[in-house]
Amino acid sequence: MSDVDPQLLEQFQSFRGDFRRLQEEVGRVIVGQRETVDSVLIALVAGGHVLLEGVPGLGKTLLVRTLSDALDSRFSRIQFTPDLMPADLLGTNVLAEAADGSKKFQFERGPIFANVVLADEINRATPKTQSALLEAMQEHSVTVGGISHALDGLFFVLATQNPLEMEGTYPLPEAQLDRFLFKLIVPFPTTDEMETIMDRTTESDSVAAKKILPQARVLEMNRLARKIPIADSIRRYAIEVVMGSHPEHALATPMVQRFVRYGSSPRGAQAVILAAKIHAALDGRFHVAREDIRTVAHQALRHRIMLNFEGQAEGVSTDAVIDELLAREA
């Protein structure tokens, strides 16, 4: 740390301070779920998107709305249903009449034009509608009628899906899943947390987040996080973990060879390395360690590893596959 530019060190101290402030503000509203909140904030700073999976009533929607409130940003909630069409997300060209009586087509923006977008129960929409998100999530732009419209500033998508009620749902295709930096499994609250939730939701007092961080600062933190150096050996370690998820690769573990159909894409390695950089910065280090890679690997890779029929029949989880990859590479 002694040979690091003092000005850069000061910037990272401010980085950690702003992250902690945001963390505490969200924590004022959200009871428990500390690991989920931290991972969502890491994905936010990394410039990625998050897929939240959990049973109804765990506060997924409240988490997204609270984050938007704390960021001084435009919030948009989209309820995905089987009859939702791409134009309902993106917007459409409508015939409008000008002051002089002439008529022309103008673009009416859809709810995707926001800073924080909640895609609620995303797997209830048809693949046609799900695919409408691909360009927005990757390119930060929307093309309608051959004209591209930029999504300016912060653009953060948090999608939710219910793992239990699968009737009438459309599983997300691999290309859609790959657009999410993290997939987070939202746990059920503990008994103590349930008591706090009951106090807050059945009493007269309510807690709301205050606007403490402008979205421009989040974008600045994203640029700063990318400056954290990573040693060649650590980057190689992250790459080997990802390459080991492919059953035909020499680094594949026994579980991968038996139960995996397709391994992670290169976006998985990008997600692991960038999230590990942010994790290191929050830990007060100006370098990435192997432990940072292990900490973020499950969130970044669990939705990018596709099990084969035997793996699904045996009830194997992708987390167990990742556990074996990390244990072998330790």
Side-chain angles (χ1 to χ4, degrees):
M1 294 288 286
S2 58
D3 57 348
V4 179
D5 183 2
Q7 184 178 1
L8 196 57
L9 286 178
E10 184 178 346
Q11 290 176 345
F12 274 100
Q13 288 176 354
S14 177
F15 176 101
R16 287 192 296 274
D18 286 341
F19 190 97
R20 299 304 181 200
R21 286 172 56 221
L22 187 58
Q23 196 177 46
E24 291 169 5
E25 191 62 27
V26 173
R28 287 180 57 248
V29 180
I30 303 299
V31 178
Q33 309 288 8
R34 181 61 183 269
E35 184 177 340
T36 300
V37 171
D38 289 353
S39 296
V40 166
L41 296 183
I42 287 176
L44 170 71
V45 173
H49 310 286
V50 175
L51 178 61
L52 298 170
E53 183 175 288
V55 298
L58 297 184
K60 300 184 294 295
T61 301
L62 179 61
L63 169 59
V64 181
R65 187 178 292 277
T66 300
L67 178 59
S68 176
D69 290 342
L71 287 177
D72 189 17
S73 59
R74 297 191 313 277
F75 172 74
S76 180
R77 180 183 182 275
I78 307 169
Q79 180 63 53
F80 280 67
T81 57
D83 60 348
L84 191 73
M85 299 299 290
D88 298 327
L89 294 178
L90 308 179
T92 187
N93 290 316
V94 297
L95 190 62
E97 185 173 347
D100 60 1
S102 62
K103 296 181 179 180
K104 63 177 181 179
F105 283 100
Q106 69 178 29
F107 180 63
E108 289 290 336
R109 295 187 169 195
I112 197 72
F113 286 87
N115 302 121
V116 178
V117 177
L118 169 59
D120 212 359
E121 294 189 297
I122 188 173
N123 57 336
R124 294 206 172 278
T126 61
K128 179 179 180 179
T129 302
Q130 291 177 10
S131 64
L133 285 172
L134 292 177
E135 180 187 1
M137 293 175 67
Q138 185 65 33
E139 315 294 341
H140 286 204
S141 64
V142 168
T143 301
V144 176
I147 300 176
S148 182
H149 306 270
L151 297 168
D152 298 324
L154 176 68
F155 181 64
F156 185 44
V157 175
L158 293 103
T160 69
Q161 64 179 16
N162 179 356
L164 299 180
E165 190 181 356
M166 301 305 292
E167 291 184 7
T169 62
Y170 302 85
L172 273 65
E174 288 76 7
Q176 180 72 62
L177 287 170
D178 205 27
R179 260 60 173 190
F180 290 100
L181 186 89
F182 283 169
K183 178 182 178 182
L184 306 179
I185 309 300
V186 183
F188 201 81
T190 64
T191 302
D192 291 339
E193 290 170 352
M194 280 288 285
E195 289 184 352
T196 305
I197 292 171
M198 294 305 105
D199 289 340
R200 291 190 182 181
T201 56
T202 61
E203 303 292 336
S204 58
D205 294 337
S206 60
V207 182
K210 300 177 182 178
K211 300 185 186 300
I212 61 169
L213 208 64
Q215 54 174 295
R217 174 55 178 161
V218 177
L219 298 175
E220 183 182 340
M221 291 169 71
N222 172 266
R223 292 189 291 269
L224 191 60
R226 294 173 181 271
K227 295 182 180 180
I228 299 174
I230 180 170
D232 291 343
S233 60
I234 303 299
R235 183 172 59 246
R236 183 75 177 184
Y237 170 63
I239 292 172
E240 288 178 351
V241 169
V242 170
M243 297 304 293
S245 68
H246 292 264
E248 73 282 358
H249 199 276
L251 293 173
T253 62
M255 283 189 71
V256 169
Q257 292 173 347
R258 181 179 176 186
F259 298 122
V260 174
R261 183 181 182 189
Y262 295 117
S264 170
S265 72
R267 284 196 187 99
Q270 294 169 349
V272 167
I273 290 174
L274 187 52
K277 286 186 174 188
I278 297 172
H279 188 271
L282 296 175
D283 198 38
R285 289 177 285 106
F286 198 66
H287 63 88
V288 179
R290 287 195 171 207
E291 190 57 37
D292 298 313
I293 301 294
R294 298 189 189 105
T295 300
V296 302
H298 291 83
Q299 297 97 309
L301 299 178
R302 61 164 57 108
H303 56 300
R304 293 184 164 98
I305 296 175
M306 303 295 129
L307 299 176
N308 58 23
F309 178 78
E310 184 179 1
Q312 296 175 32
E314 293 286 339
V316 175
S317 70
T318 52
D319 279 10
V321 174
I322 298 169
D323 285 337
E324 187 181 64
L325 281 167
L326 296 176
R328 196 246 357 236
E329 298 290 348

